[in-house]
């Protein structure tokens, strides 16, 4: 027995030793890719020494004698910190994820191949101006210089993920940067999916009720539209979903999670210091690391500092000594779905305006890890690429004998958006920045600008020129062979909305409607915000003059105008009514919840119970209102539209009919439905967050999910690579934290401001900014999440162009020296 015991001890010791050795070895190989920020390197591709000074937050400040050398160093720094992220963005744009992830990502690769954005990026390189070509070439050389160091110095393959998904990394090319910009356009797009859902919904309900559930204008419902069944005959009233399940690796986000942002500015007359102010916080899906990377470039035109995206040599939101600029999604309707009739006698032809013509086509091979390769036949019509039925649920709205093509402004092979962004970054006046935006194509943005005295906002991006006789005004799929449904190019840049130094001294955008014009110069029927704008307007008008701190306060504001409005409607006939109920009963829980909500000011604070009660109630109410009318289509509406709820409770145009359950004999009122939904919401809360309603916390349900797109769901590793934080805010607050709306944790914060910046031109070096995680993409780096807690608490770091301040307590100074 003693002998067995001794051998068991030896075996256990050996296993423990082997496990420890394996962990040490894994740490050693993973840590090899941590860069040394104090290194001096000799590189090819620069003409003179370049300094990369990393301040105490690891923000690189790059100093060189030529602009090309500065862009080289930015590419070098991006690759040092975010090589894996950059290669993944490139692979996604190329449609080559399946080489690493197998059959899981074939569907993603297929849709990227069909959009063909990488080939379009390659063709667009020659369309850039000379300065941008030089910048792209120098930036690529900088990325490749770090790749050479990784290969020559055994630097752990450049990123720890490379050990798990080993693959050769091709040299960076200028087209790669352009492809990432096109990928951003895809991530920010939502019109395509909304067109499909509008068509599917219109097949089930009348146009009057469609105006309730899918209002596409903040000031009213849908105007008179043709019935989709009449516009496109032969489509069944309901077809089950055909699209592939959402994958974190996909750049195509659910329609509710399309891009959003805030930006506002005050001119000198509305600033306490007599100089302009500007704030910007772009909203994208949360990831670890965040998509944003803070950087400062010292160019011949002066220093610029702000938010970059690894893979692109441009500051997208930031400031120079003379100019500040910020971006918000403009929601330009730059996508259309065209129904193309296929020749029944020849499947290689489709109906064009003049008759049957052949599809333009070619084959494309997707290499799939551990599985046979997949050959795609890519096809295009005169309107755009043909998409299969399993993408975007297109199969549910396509009649037999037809296919769908996509018209989209981003599908340009002469896309000069990068050149425009570079010119905006180098501009020193509002006039120059607005002029630079003319070459910008996609993704469409509202550019908010401030110099020291004036402010402006201009929509940049191509506005498709539709025919005034377009059958659906671009809101529903339409036949592609009818000339009135085809685009006529783009409207002149002068037609893009523009506001310069308004009389009130303040302008801003929360993705709200910016201009009220008739179709076809309408910009969009769909806007990203109908609610945040009211809270912003109140905060701006509440003060005669503003300061940097008041702009920060507005950026971090968590009071929900929507919650205030809807809570008053939902509780109107329930609060302070009914008999006293014993403790522990559903009636008592309802009374306790109503008591909390009636005294609540709409603040979506992470430490309060009221936001969770309100959000859960609204979710259950929305489900009860729509599930009988929409049936199996109801799960597509994952988030309640505030305009819909308000129309129902105010009975606008008979919208209260949604409260009556069609399948039941009694006629239910909105009070009945509200009470039932509240009881169901409280039951869900007690099952998931505890019995004590007054003790639950919104932040427990509303955790920010900075998850690693690849390893975020891998057991054990997810503890290392994911960053989770309790957060305030909600779907309709200025400090926006969009909830997932699906799954067992429907209130997780999955889409928020990954970058925040506030620029003060009275004292530019007192400007501040922050990103959501950290500068490094390496999970073992102390800069992987060092900014995350500051971001969560609403704090910032200095945004200074002062070289001495950057050098003070710098974490490292790298010097790149030319090889010649």
């Amino acid at each position: 027995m003693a002998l067995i015991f001794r051998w068991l001890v030896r075996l256990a010791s050996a296993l423990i030793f082997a496990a420890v050795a394996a962990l040490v070895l894994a740490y050693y190989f993973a840590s090899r890719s941590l860069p040394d920020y104090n290194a001096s390197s000799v590189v090819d591709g620069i003409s003179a020494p370049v300094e990369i000074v990393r301040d105490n937050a690891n923000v690189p400040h790059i100093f060189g004698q030529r602009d090309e050398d500065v862009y080289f160093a930015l590419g070098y720094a991006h690759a040092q910190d975010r090589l894996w992220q950059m290669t993944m963005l490139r692979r996604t744009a190329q449609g080559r994820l399946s080489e690493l992830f197998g059959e899981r990502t074939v569907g993603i690769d297929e849709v990227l191949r069909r959009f063909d954005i990488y080939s379009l990026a390659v063709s667009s390189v020659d369309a850039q101006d000379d300065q941008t070509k030089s910048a792209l070439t120098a930036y690529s050389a900088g990325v490749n210089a770090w790749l050479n160091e990784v290969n020559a110095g055994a630097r752990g393959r450049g990123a720890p993920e490379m050990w798990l998904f080993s693959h050769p990394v091709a040299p960076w090319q200028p087209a790669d940067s352009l492809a990432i910009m096109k990928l951003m356009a895809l991530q920010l797009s939502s019109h395509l999916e909304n067109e499909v859902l509008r068509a599917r919904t219109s097949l089930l309900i009348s146009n009057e009720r469609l105006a309730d559930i899918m209002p596409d204008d903040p000031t009213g419902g849908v105007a008179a539209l043709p019935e989709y069944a009449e516009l496109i005959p032969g489509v069944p009233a309901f077809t089950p979903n055909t699209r592939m399940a959402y994958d974190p690796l996909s750049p195509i986000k659910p329609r509710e999670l399309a891009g959003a942002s805030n930006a506002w500015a005050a001119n000198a007359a509305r600033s306490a210091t007599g100089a302009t102010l500007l704030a910007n916080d772009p909203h994208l899906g949360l990831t670890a690391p965040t998509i944003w990377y803070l950087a400062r470039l010292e160019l011949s035109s002066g220093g610029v500092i702000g938010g970059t995206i690894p893979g692109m040599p441009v500051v997208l939101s930031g400031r120079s000594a003379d100019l500040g600029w910020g971006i918000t999604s403009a929601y330009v309707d730059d996508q259309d779905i065209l129904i193309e009739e296929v020749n029944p006698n020849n499947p290689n032809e489709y109906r064009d305006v003049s008759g049957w013509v052949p599809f333009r086509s070619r084959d494309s091979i997707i290499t799939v890890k551990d599985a046979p390769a997949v050959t795609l036949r890519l096809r295009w019509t005169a309107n755009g690429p043909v998409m299969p039925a399993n993408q975007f649920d297109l199969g549910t709205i396509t009649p037999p004998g037809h296919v769908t093509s996509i018209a989209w402004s981003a599908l340009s092979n002469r896309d000069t958006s990068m050149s425009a962004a570079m010119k905006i970054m180098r501009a020193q006046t509002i006039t120059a920045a607005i002029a630079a935006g003319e070459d910008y194509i996609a993704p469409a943005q509202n550019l908010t600008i401030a110099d020291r005295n004036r402010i402006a906002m201009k929509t940049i991006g191509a506005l498709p020129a539709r025919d005034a006789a377009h059958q659906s005004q671009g809101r529903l799929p339409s036949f592609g062979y009818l000339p009135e449904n085809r685009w006529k190019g783009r409207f002149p840049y002068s037609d893009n909305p523009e506001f310069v130094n308004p009389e009130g001294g303040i302008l801003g955008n929360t993705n709200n409607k910016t201009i009220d014009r008739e179709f076809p110069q309408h910009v969009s029927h769909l806007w990203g915000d109908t609610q945040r704008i009211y809270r912003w307007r109140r905060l701006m008008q509440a003060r005669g003059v503003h300061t940097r701190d008041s702009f920060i306060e507005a950026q971090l504001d968590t009071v929900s105008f929507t919650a205030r409005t809807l809570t008053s409607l939902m509780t109107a006939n329930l609060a302070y009514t009914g008999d006293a109920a014993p403790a522990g009963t559903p009636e008592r829980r309802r009374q306790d919840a109503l008591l909390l909500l009636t005294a609540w000011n709409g603040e979506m604070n992470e430490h309060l119970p009221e936001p969770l009660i309100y959000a859960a109630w609204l979710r259950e109410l929305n489900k009860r209102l729509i599930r009988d009318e929409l049936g199996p289509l109801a799960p597509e509406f994952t988030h309640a539209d505030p305009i819909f709820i308000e129309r129902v409770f105010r009975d606008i145009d008979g919208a209260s009919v949604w409260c009556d359950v069609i399948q039941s004999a009694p006629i239910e009122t909105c009070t009945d439905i509200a009470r039932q939904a509240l009881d169901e919401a409280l039951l869900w809360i007690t099952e998931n967050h505890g019995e004590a309603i007054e003790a639950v916390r919104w932040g427990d349900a509303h955790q920010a999910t900075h998850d690693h797109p690849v390893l975020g769901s891998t057991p054990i590793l997810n503890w290392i690579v994911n960053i989770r934080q309790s957060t305030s805010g909600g779907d309709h607050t200025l400090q926006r934290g969009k909830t997932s709306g699906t799954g067992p944790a429907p209130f997780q914060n999955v889409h928020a401001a990954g970058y925040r910046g506030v620029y003060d031109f009275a004292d530019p070096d007192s400007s501040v900014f922050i990103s959501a995680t950290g500068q490094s993409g390496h999970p073992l780096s102390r800069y992987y999440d060092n900014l995350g807690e500051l971001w969560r608490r609403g704090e910032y770091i200095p945004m200074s162009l002062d070289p001495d301040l950057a050098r003070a307590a710098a974490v490292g100074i790298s010097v790149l020296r030319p090889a010649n």
Side-chain angles (χ1 to χ4, degrees), residues 427-471:
Q428 295 179 320
T429 66
I430 284 177
T431 302
I434 290 176
E438 184 166 7
D439 293 331
Y440 193 89
I441 306 296
Q445 302 284 310
N446 287 321
L447 177 69
T448 304
I449 329 164
D451 60 22
R452 290 181 178 270
N453 298 295
R454 300 190 308 154
I455 58 176
M457 185 171 70
K458 176 73 174 181
T459 300
I460 59 173
L463 269 61
R466 294 181 178 85
D467 194 305
H470 192 292
Q471 286 183 301

Side-chain angles (χ1 to χ4, degrees), residues 531 560-571 593-594 596-597 600 602-604 608-622 640-642 645 677-678 681-682 685 693 696 698 729-733 747:
Q531 304 289 304
S560 172
F561 169 88
T562 305
R564 283 180 167 181
T565 303
L566 298 187
T567 300
S568 65
L569 294 173
M570 293 154 58
T571 62
L594 288 168
L596 288 168
L597 291 177
W600 181 47
E603 184 181 1
M604 304 290 286
L608 296 178
E610 290 91 346
L612 181 55
I613 298 170
Y614 156 74
W617 187 6
L618 186 61
R619 174 177 164 80
E620 295 300 334
L621 176 63
N622 189 61
D641 189 314
I645 301 297
L678 178 56
L682 294 173
I685 290 173
I693 293 296
V696 300
W698 173 235
D731 291 349
H732 304 108
T733 54
F747 305 116

Side-chain angles (χ1 to χ4, degrees), residues 7 192 213 612 771 789-790 804:
W7 276 105
L192 196 157
I213 189 65
L612 181 55
S771 70
E789 186 59 27
L790 297 177
D804 293 333

Side-chain angles (χ1 to χ4, degrees), residues 180 258 334 339 436 440 672:
I180 290 176
D334 57 4
I339 305 297
Y440 193 89
D672 296 330

Side-chain angles (χ1 to χ4, degrees), residues 659-704:
C659 292
D660 181 38
V661 180
I662 298 173
Q663 286 85 359
S664 69
I667 298 178
E668 289 82 8
T669 67
C670 291
T671 301
D672 296 330
I673 297 299
R675 181 178 59 252
Q676 294 165 4
L678 178 56
D679 288 343
E680 197 161 351
L682 294 173
L683 181 61
W684 181 89
I685 290 173
T686 56
E687 289 175 349
N688 290 275
H689 294 274
E691 293 283 342
I693 293 296
E694 68 282 355
V696 300
R697 292 178 69 256
W698 173 235
D700 292 339
H702 193 243
Q703 286 198 342

Side-chain angles (χ1 to χ4, degrees), residues 262 264-266 270 277 279 281 504 506-507 510 531-547 549-561 564 601 732-736:
N262 296 320
W264 46 82
R270 292 295 301 273
L277 296 160
D281 53 300
I506 290 181
L507 55 74
T510 62
Q531 304 289 304
R532 301 196 315 275
I533 187 63
Y534 292 107
R535 179 62 180 172
W536 172 77
R537 184 181 299 162
R538 172 65 182 272
L539 293 176
M540 294 297 106
Q541 292 175 342
R543 302 173 65 109
V545 293
H546 283 272
T547 65
D549 290 342
S550 72
F551 266 38
I552 289 175
E553 180 183 348
Q555 202 170 69
L556 302 177
D557 186 77
T558 59
V559 175
S560 172
F561 169 88
R564 283 180 167 181
N601 70 346
H732 304 108
T733 54
L734 289 175
Q735 184 181 317
R736 185 173 175 271

Side-chain angles (χ1 to χ4, degrees), residues 204-223:
L204 295 174
I205 59 178
S206 66
N207 263 357
E208 291 77 14
R209 300 287 68 87
L210 182 63
D212 300 327
I213 189 65
M214 293 193 73
D216 60 2
D217 187 301
T219 58
V222 179

Side-chain angles (χ1 to χ4, degrees), residues 45-46 62 67-80 82-83 85-86 89 131-147 171-178 180 293 295 297 308-314 418 422:
I46 58 176
I62 302 174
D67 286 357
E68 289 79 5
D69 294 345
V70 173
Y71 292 126
F72 179 101
L74 179 64
Y76 187 90
H78 276 169
Q80 277 187 311
R82 302 285 187 89
L83 182 61
Q85 186 181 53
M86 292 170 65
L89 288 172
Q131 277 189 300
T132 302
K133 287 179 185 176
S134 297
L136 290 169
T137 301
Y139 178 87
S140 299
V143 175
N144 296 332
W146 176 249
L147 289 175
W172 199 264
Q173 302 289 337
D176 300 340
S177 298
L178 302 184
I180 290 176
Y293 183 91
L297 311 177
T308 70
I309 290 179
M312 296 193 291
V314 61
M418 182 66 75
M422 299 286 285

